[in-house]
């Protein structure tokens, strides 16, 4: 199967919460926790990542004003609105590859059989869930429990509140 080129991201610490949301949708996303902007820019360029920041000073750098490094300047303080801005400005699919990347370490998850994880998850989870994924780096086990459902609902809400969606659904010419 041919792999489709999908956008990859690096998020600045000032919008660090976006990393988990993007990973949850399946987008390869680094979180930059340092304070050396230049290192973040170099990483973005080297790895072909779109940079996301709230820092207006970074936007003045030549590498960004020239368009060489694609950067999204987040305007809201509200995480939901921040996510909405990212999804809209890149026209991202929020159902891209849900729950295929570890939320903590950005590693692609590996499918695990129910037998493999029996001793690793609480008994009530084992009894009710049949699909499990494991992070090869931190060995967290993921399943589609209530936390997963809550996050999925919240993503759907980002998009429901989006003005663009309202225009599209109210297409009455
Ligand atoms: Zn992990």
């Amino acid at each position: 199967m041919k792999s489709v080129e999908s956008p990859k991201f690096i998020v600045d610490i000032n919008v660090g919460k976006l990393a988990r949301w993007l990973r949850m949708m399946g987008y390869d996303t680094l979180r930059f926790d340092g304070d050396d902007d230049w290192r973040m820019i170099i990483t973005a360029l080297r790895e072909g990542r779109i940079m996301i920041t709230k820092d207006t000073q970074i936007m003045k750098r030549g590498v960004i004003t020239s368009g060489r490094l694609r950067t999204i300047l987040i305007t809201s303080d509200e995480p939901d609105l921040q996510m909405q801005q990212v999804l809209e400005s890149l026209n991202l699919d929020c159902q891209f590859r849900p729950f295929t990347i570890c939320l903590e370490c950005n590693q692609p998850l590996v499918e695990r059989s129910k037998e493999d994880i029996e001793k690793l998850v609480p008994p009530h989870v084992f009894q009710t869930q049949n699909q499990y994924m494991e992070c090869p780096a931190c060995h967290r086990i993921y399943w589609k429990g209530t936390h997963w459902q809550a996050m999925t609902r919240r993503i759907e809400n980002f998009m429901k509140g989006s003005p663009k969606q309202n225009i599209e659904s109210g297409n009455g010419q």
Side-chain angles (χ1 to χ4, degrees), residues 102 105 135 138:
C102 179
C105 37
C135 171
C138 71

Side-chain angles (χ1 to χ4, degrees), residues 105-161:
C105 37
N106 198 40
Q107 290 288 316
L109 300 177
V110 178
E111 213 164 316
R112 282 281 173 260
S113 72
K114 207 169 166 167
E115 294 72 45
D116 284 350
I117 53 77
E118 181 168 6
K119 303 220 161 38
L120 304 174
V121 300
H124 71 275
V125 171
F126 184 76
Q127 279 158 25
T128 53
Q129 301 291 327
N130 292 313
Q131 270 190 308
Y132 299 91
M133 308 288 273
E134 183 182 3
C135 171
C138 71
H139 300 290
R140 275 184 178 78
I141 308 285
Y142 290 85
W143 61 88
K144 293 183 178 179
T146 48
H147 183 59
W148 184 86
Q149 286 158 7
M151 287 183 92
T152 306
R153 259 197 306 276
R154 210 169 142 197
I155 290 183
E156 284 164 6
N157 285 335
F158 294 154
M159 297 323 285
K160 263 189 215 134

Side-chain angles (χ1 to χ4, degrees), residues 11-17 32 52-56 58 82:
V11 303
D12 202 347
I13 190 164
N14 54 31
V15 285
K17 279 187 180 148
F32 185 76
I52 306 178
T53 185
K54 231 178 154 300
D55 183 346
T56 51
I58 292 184
Q82 292 179 347

Side-chain angles (χ1 to χ4, degrees), residues 87-114:
L87 289 168
E88 280 186 3
S89 54
L90 296 171
N91 214 357
L92 290 185
D93 179 5
C94 60
Q95 299 292 337
F96 177 54
R97 289 173 192 155
F99 292 88
T100 53
I101 289 183
C102 179
L103 301 186
E104 305 302 329
C105 37
N106 198 40
Q107 290 288 316
L109 300 177
V110 178
E111 213 164 316
R112 282 281 173 260
S113 72
K114 207 169 166 167

